[in-house]
Amino acid sequence: MLSREEYLRAWSSWHGGTDPEGNRLVRGWLSASYSLARSLAFLPPLAATASGLAVAAAAVVPAWAGGAWLLLAGVLVGGSGLLDSLDGALAIATGRASRRGFVLDSAVDRVTEAAYAAALWGAGAPGWLAAAFGALCWLPDYLRARAGQAGVGETGILSVWERPTRVIMTGATLLGAGVISGWGAAAPVVTSGAAVGCALGVVGVAQLGFALRRALAG
């Protein structure tokens, strides 16, 4: 099993040289995933991937049920994000990482983010806002993938809108809405949370776009 620092260096290599030190939230998220992976090293990475997808999909049901069920939806979203990070930590730290697994994990991430958008919509966010939230979850990784196809070796800086931020924003929004659902204010909370997420997404895409523009011009 790799040490934590070895794991972070290997993660950076798998993600186009991105330095996790550039974002405290990302580094903390990766460190927590690594600590969990040490205890679950026997688990196949694919099992964690499948579990994360199933949990994210399950979060949509209580989100649409509304009321106090929103608390469960928020917990499930957080759990899905943790499982998603666990599969990568298991693969990299135990030497089981592969290009096929890397692509599969990225595809599953996009599906789970669609589930997050559906959960926000069901919990009370306007459909167009939930769709914008989902699109802004997808766009940074699409830009990185296209830049890689254009020959950019590095995937760009870590922005304010990386995977941990998306998970935390979705989960915290649903939890907050669940807490005050008894006062009939869940929908405004979900709408506000989705709007803040979209604002962070726009800022994150702009940060990444400027970095990739410089790389593509070089």
Side-chain angles (χ1 to χ4, degrees):
M1 184 108 182
L2 298 181
S3 68
R4 180 171 305 185
E5 293 307 314
E6 289 172 335
Y7 162 68
L8 292 175
R9 287 195 295 270
W11 181 92
S12 176
S13 177
W14 274 100
H15 291 81
T18 301
D19 183 9
E21 300 289 348
N23 187 306
R24 290 184 179 180
L25 177 59
V26 172
R27 178 182 172 82
W29 187 272
L30 291 174
S31 296
S33 300
Y34 170 80
S35 298
L36 185 58
R38 284 184 62 89
S39 302
L40 299 173
F42 61 89
L43 189 69
L46 182 59
T49 301
S51 298
L53 177 58
V55 172
V60 177
V61 177
W64 280 77
W69 287 105
L70 293 171
L71 294 170
L72 175 59
V75 171
L76 290 173
V77 166
S80 73
L82 187 58
L83 286 167
D84 168 63
S85 295
L86 175 62
D87 65 357
L90 284 169
I92 294 173
T94 62
R96 290 178 283 182
S98 67
R99 290 183 297 176
R100 182 175 61 182
F102 182 76
V103 172
L104 176 62
D105 180 56
S106 297
V108 168
D109 285 352
R110 306 292 77 78
V111 177
T112 59
E113 286 163 355
Y116 296 166
L120 291 173
W121 182 26
W128 66 268
L129 186 61
F133 184 97
L136 286 165
C137 286
W138 286 25
L139 188 53
D141 295 278
Y142 175 78
L143 290 175
R144 286 184 169 117
R146 295 295 289 174
Q149 291 175 343
V152 176
E154 297 185 0
T155 55
I157 64 170
L158 288 174
S159 71
V160 298
W161 190 237
E162 299 299 331
R163 176 75 173 167
T165 311
R166 303 167 204 167
V167 174
I168 291 170
M169 277 301 306
T170 307
T173 295
L174 293 171
L175 284 171
V179 168
I180 66 168
S181 60
W183 288 272
V189 170
V190 176
T191 299
S192 298
V196 171
C198 285
L200 289 172
V202 169
V203 173
V205 168
Q207 289 178 311
L208 180 60
F210 283 122
L212 292 177
R213 181 184 178 185
R214 289 194 298 268
L216 289 166

